[in-house]
Structures are given as C-alpha cells and as structure tokens.
Amino acid sequence: MNLLVVGSVAYDAIETPFGKTDKILGGAGTFISLSASYAGATPLTVSVVGGDFEEKYLKMLESHNVDIEGIQIKKDEKTFFWSGKYHNDMNSRDTLVTELNSLETFDPIVPESYKNAKYLMLGNLAPTVQRKVIEQMTTRPELIIMDTMNFWMDIMLDELLKTISMVDVLSINDEEARQLSGEYSLKKAAKKIHAMGPKFVIIKKGEHGALLFNDEKVFYAPALPLEEVFDPTGAGDTFAGGFAGYLAQKGDVSFENMKNAVIFGSAMASFCVEKFGTERIQNLGKEEINERVFEFVELVKFDYKPNK
Ligand code: AMP
C-alpha cells in the first residue's frame, strides 16, 4: 500500500483578513503527505528544499510517518517561497511572490524502493516534472492521481495534456476544469476531460464541496459549513492527500470506495482551513477525524419517502 507523493515543500507567507504570517512551512507536497499520513498511509515524499530549510520541519514530517528519503537538500540554494493574499471572501487570492529557487532546476529522483509504489500522487508542479516521476516507475502504479492548476494551462498546455493522458484521476477546481475543457457545464467538462485520458475526474468547488465523475456516474461531497475559516492555503492539497492516502490504505480503487476517499479528503481539508498553514493538520487526533467524517455523513443523510 505504499504511496509515492511528489510536490513542493516550501516556505509560505500568507495574508488573510484575519492576520498575516512570516515565512511558515507550506508546499503542496507537505500538505499532501501530512494529510495522507492521517489515513494510515506511509507516504514517501519526492521534493527538493534549500540549505535554509529548517531541520525541525523534516523531523515533524518524520514524526507523522512521512518517509523523507526522497527530499533532496540543495545546501547552496534556497527553498521555494510563495506568498499570497486572500480577498475578503476568502475564496479568491492574489499571488504576491513566487520564488522558485531550488524548485527551478528540480530533477525528481524516485528512491529505488518506491519505484514500484502502487499509488502515485502527483502534486501541482510542472507537467514535465510530473511526467519524469511516472517515467521512473518500474511498474505502472495501480492508480496515478494528478493535481494541476491554470498556470500550466496558460504556459505549457501541450505538455500538460501529455501528462494528463497518463493518469487515472485528475483533481482540479471548477474554474480550471472550465478552462481546460472550454465547457461551462461541469458535467460536460468532466466528459471532455475523461476523453483526455483520466477515468476519474474530481472537480473541487472550494466552500461548495467537490464532485467525483466516472463516466456517467457522479458523486457529490459537500464542504462542511465551518464557523472559522482562517486560511484556505493548501486545502486542495490536503483534500488530495486525504483522498490518495485513504485509497492507498484500503487498497481499493473502486468508484464506491472513492466516494469514501472523497469524504475523508473533504474532512481533512475542513481542518486545514481552521488555522494558518499546516498548523492544524500537524496536530490532529484519530478521534476528532472520525467525528468530523461523521459530521459529513450527517450533513447529507436523509430518508426520503415518496408520496403514495
Ligand atoms: P493550494 O492552496 O492548494 O493552491 O496550495 C498552496 C500551496 O502550493 C502553498 O503552500 C505553496 O507553497 C504551493 N505552491 C504555490 N505555487 C506553487 C507552484 N508554482 N509550484 C509548486 N507549489 C506551489
């Protein structure tokens, strides 16, 4: 049930209507791996950081059963840095700074022991880098899940389409699904994305939940109405990590089990937004995760009886 994760491990600086942070731990790979670990998976993270990356963060990842063998440390370079500012609605944000630093020349190296991993989660990175990881696998993983963003659609669509054609699950947000497909209807968009290769398409709708498509079948997971939304950074990655970790742990990639995985991922994302960065998902207990998942179950459970 080993899970290989590739994604950025970063420093972020975040500003929301509720406050501002200095450089804190971030990166898609960080959120994905941490989240997957709560599903009981032992994710191996392939990434790169600079000499300025604090040892305590690597230790923290290890304490969550994240295997860090695949994280390269480039002593003479700096860690990828991203800074963003959220608008008052917390749904939209502006990227203020992207310093690629060590990520600019990132050449992912999959450790030998993970070249036959059954599950592969490709976090949002250049599609060429994502493909390099797929190409290093000695056996084709049972499931390849990929996240991406509009940035790659704008600057390297051909490369992106090539990588998309190699994966089983594509996870993107509604705006990106519309851009990629040219369709406004998300159902039509999913159909077009299926035709690009992925058998499963997840369309994330932020505070309005997520849709899972598999040909004619569709499943909807709501987002939990929360009293406190502090910082949405990494919610999508945390969702994807929970989804991938759950599937890897269960070893079942049926559509039925994917529904559970989508709910687990949504529950993990609901924790993520409650505090800045990874703070909330660094300190979670099994009990509160289970309770949160059952809140989702309650949210959508009903017993409809048609009139006679
Ligand atoms: P999300 O909120 O799901 O879009 O993910 C936010 C995380 O993605 C932050 O922690 C950033 O460090 C990371 N990130 C932002 N831009 C990039 C990029 N161009 N490449 C890789 N990771 C990025």
Side-chain angles (χ1 to χ4, degrees), residues 8 10 12 26-28 31 80 82 86 93 103 124-125 232-237:
S8 53
D12 289 349
F31 286 103
F80 172 73
W82 175 82
Y86 287 85
R93 70 182 179 204
L103 208 58
N124 171 36
L125 281 173
T233 308
D237 307 313

Side-chain angles (χ1 to χ4, degrees), residues 28-230:
T30 310
F31 286 103
I32 292 169
S33 298
L34 269 177
S35 182
S37 75
Y38 286 102
T42 307
L44 179 128
T45 310
V46 167
S47 193
V48 65
V49 294
D52 59 344
F53 195 70
E54 285 188 75
E55 173 88 20
K56 68 174 183 193
Y57 293 133
L58 294 173
K59 291 232 158 71
M60 183 280 294
L61 289 171
E62 278 189 309
S63 75
H64 282 83
N65 279 334
V66 176
D67 187 332
I68 58 164
E69 190 193 337
I71 302 182
Q72 305 166 32
I73 301 170
K74 295 261 166 80
K75 286 258 173 289
D76 301 328
E77 294 179 35
K78 282 171 76 181
T79 301
F80 172 73
F81 173 66
W82 175 82
S83 165
K85 182 177 176 174
Y86 287 85
H87 301 162
N88 279 338
D89 66 359
M90 295 285 264
N91 267 333
S92 49
R93 70 182 179 204
D94 294 324
T95 290
L96 303 178
V97 182
T98 300
E99 288 173 12
L100 288 174
N101 299 328
S102 55
L103 208 58
E104 189 158 10
T105 52
F106 179 40
D107 187 16
I109 299 167
V110 179
E112 214 48 53
S113 58
Y114 268 73
K115 286 190 172 164
N116 60 358
K118 280 197 171 165
Y119 298 86
L120 171 57
M121 172 73 231
L122 302 168
N124 171 36
L125 281 173
T128 42
V129 173
Q130 292 175 317
R131 207 158 60 237
K132 267 193 182 169
V133 174
I134 301 176
E135 284 162 356
Q136 286 175 60
M137 305 305 282
T138 47
T139 42
R140 209 269 180 196
E142 215 161 284
L143 198 76
I144 305 179
I145 305 157
M146 171 183 176
D147 193 5
T148 189
M149 69 188 293
N150 49 0
F151 179 69
W152 307 116
M153 296 173 200
D154 295 337
I155 67 160
M156 47 171 90
L157 183 62
D158 285 350
E159 293 291 352
L160 180 66
L161 290 174
K162 224 167 159 184
T163 307
I164 288 177
S165 75
M166 298 166 84
V167 310
D168 304 298
V169 185
L170 184 69
S171 168
I172 47 176
N173 73 30
D174 44 0
E175 223 177 281
E176 292 156 355
R178 289 183 172 120
Q179 180 172 345
L180 184 62
S181 65
E183 294 286 353
Y184 182 80
S185 150
L186 295 180
K187 198 168 176 187
K188 282 188 182 168
K191 219 179 206 172
K192 281 214 173 153
I193 298 170
H194 281 321
M196 295 171 190
K199 294 185 285 293
F200 300 93
V201 178
I202 294 174
I203 302 183
K204 297 170 285 186
K205 291 155 62 75
E207 62 173 332
H208 303 297
L211 291 158
L212 166 69
F213 292 92
N214 172 215
D215 292 326
E216 290 310 309
K217 294 185 285 226
V218 56
F219 174 70
Y220 171 66
L224 204 62
L226 295 168
E227 281 190 28
E228 306 274 8
V229 176
F230 216 72

